[in-house]
Amino acid sequence: MGKQVGAHIVWDWNGTLFHDNDAIIGATNAAFGELGLDPITMEQYRALYCVPVPKFYERLLGRLPTDAEWEVMDETFHRYYTEHRVRCGLTEGVSQLLVEWRSAGRSQSILSMYGHDELVPLVRGFGIEEHFIRVDGRTGPSGGSKAEHMVRHIAALVSVDPARTVVIGDAADDAVAALHVGARAVLYTGGSHSRASLEEVGVPVVDTLGEAVAEAERLAA
């Protein structure tokens, strides 16, 4: 098979296609409560959040959590998130954007650090699975970077050229992962990072996913 002629988008899920900010901040504060930390606001979260996640906790604790603390906080976070994600939906306009990109003969996929076995039925439940040539969630322990997962994801997309691939996500780590495989990146301000922190990365930063798609089309031209 030759390389895909058209542009390809690798979408992030949490905070990008899936607007789950309320569940994320609630789960974060539930995890903090296990260590006696005060709750934080969404604005504080967006200003401080970073990957790997233990470094985020270090910014609030003043030290890295111990292995035992991390295990408790991670389990609490995922339990709370699973309970509350059901009230969350797709980001506004997502369904139409996916249809239009696919209808133009271009391809797209999802790579998320959300657990694979939970991600796939969630995507399927929104009725959008058909728009993607591949959907990959995290395998293995949580808390790491997306870069190595991106290597495997891109390698599995045998008909896609990394040079014409654009990663769209809401975190600095999405851009790091893109650059790691020779792809481009566009970062979206509607998720886990503030605009100021995203702009430090040096890639295009946009406020809507419609703008993100338009920028991806330009970058992959």
Side-chain angles (χ1 to χ4, degrees), residues 9 11-12 15-19 46 90-98 100-101 166-170 185-191 193-195 198-199 204-217 219:
I9 290 176
W11 292 96
D12 174 55
T16 304
L17 293 177
F18 188 45
H19 187 66
R46 286 160 53 83
L90 297 176
T91 301
E92 184 177 357
V94 158
S95 296
Q96 187 63 29
L97 289 171
L98 298 178
E100 290 174 354
W101 186 264
V166 180
V167 176
I168 297 178
D170 68 315
V186 179
L187 297 180
Y188 162 62
T189 62
H193 280 44
S194 67
R195 171 175 276 278
L198 293 178
E199 287 177 340
V205 177
V206 298
D207 296 320
T208 70
L209 292 184
E211 292 174 282
V213 170
E215 189 66 17
E217 187 172 4
L219 290 172

Side-chain angles (χ1 to χ4, degrees), residues 2-3 21 41 78 82 103 121 127 132 161 166 181 195 197 210 218:
K3 292 294 185 183
N21 289 355
T41 65
H78 285 98
T82 299
S103 296
F132 306 105
D161 182 359
V166 180
V181 296
R195 171 175 276 278
S197 63
R218 183 188 70 81

Side-chain angles (χ1 to χ4, degrees), residues 134-170:
R134 189 173 182 90
V135 175
D136 282 334
R138 170 186 49 79
T139 56
S142 60
S145 172
K146 204 174 207 176
E148 293 307 317
H149 295 272
M150 186 67 75
V151 171
R152 291 190 289 272
H153 184 74
I154 293 295
L157 301 175
V158 293
S159 63
V160 169
D161 182 359
R164 300 206 63 199
T165 296
V166 180
V167 176
I168 297 178
D170 68 315

Side-chain angles (χ1 to χ4, degrees), residues 27-46:
T28 298
N29 283 329
F32 286 173
E34 293 293 328
L35 268 65
L37 292 171
D38 291 333
I40 62 172
T41 65
M42 191 67 209
E43 289 72 25
Q44 290 171 312
Y45 177 92
R46 286 160 53 83

Side-chain angles (χ1 to χ4, degrees), residues 18-114:
F18 188 45
H19 187 66
D20 60 350
N21 289 355
D22 289 346
I24 289 286
I25 191 64
T28 298
N29 283 329
F32 286 173
E34 293 293 328
L35 268 65
L37 292 171
D38 291 333
I40 62 172
T41 65
M42 191 67 209
E43 289 72 25
Q44 290 171 312
Y45 177 92
R46 286 160 53 83
L48 294 171
Y49 182 75
C50 63
V51 173
V53 178
K55 294 290 290 183
F56 168 52
Y57 290 154
E58 181 182 24
R59 291 181 173 186
L60 293 144
L61 280 170
R63 59 174 175 80
L64 281 170
T66 66
D67 290 346
E69 287 172 335
W70 164 252
E71 186 175 334
V72 169
M73 294 174 79
D74 191 49
E75 190 279 330
T76 300
F77 177 94
H78 285 98
R79 184 180 69 250
Y80 183 102
Y81 179 85
T82 299
E83 292 171 358
H84 290 80
R85 74 182 186 203
V86 295
R87 296 200 298 268
C88 302
L90 297 176
T91 301
E92 184 177 357
V94 158
S95 296
Q96 187 63 29
L97 289 171
L98 298 178
V99 168
E100 290 174 354
W101 186 264
R102 183 184 178 203
S103 296
R106 307 180 185 107
S107 60
Q108 53 198 333
S109 59
I110 293 176
L111 175 62
S112 173
M113 293 297 280
Y114 193 49

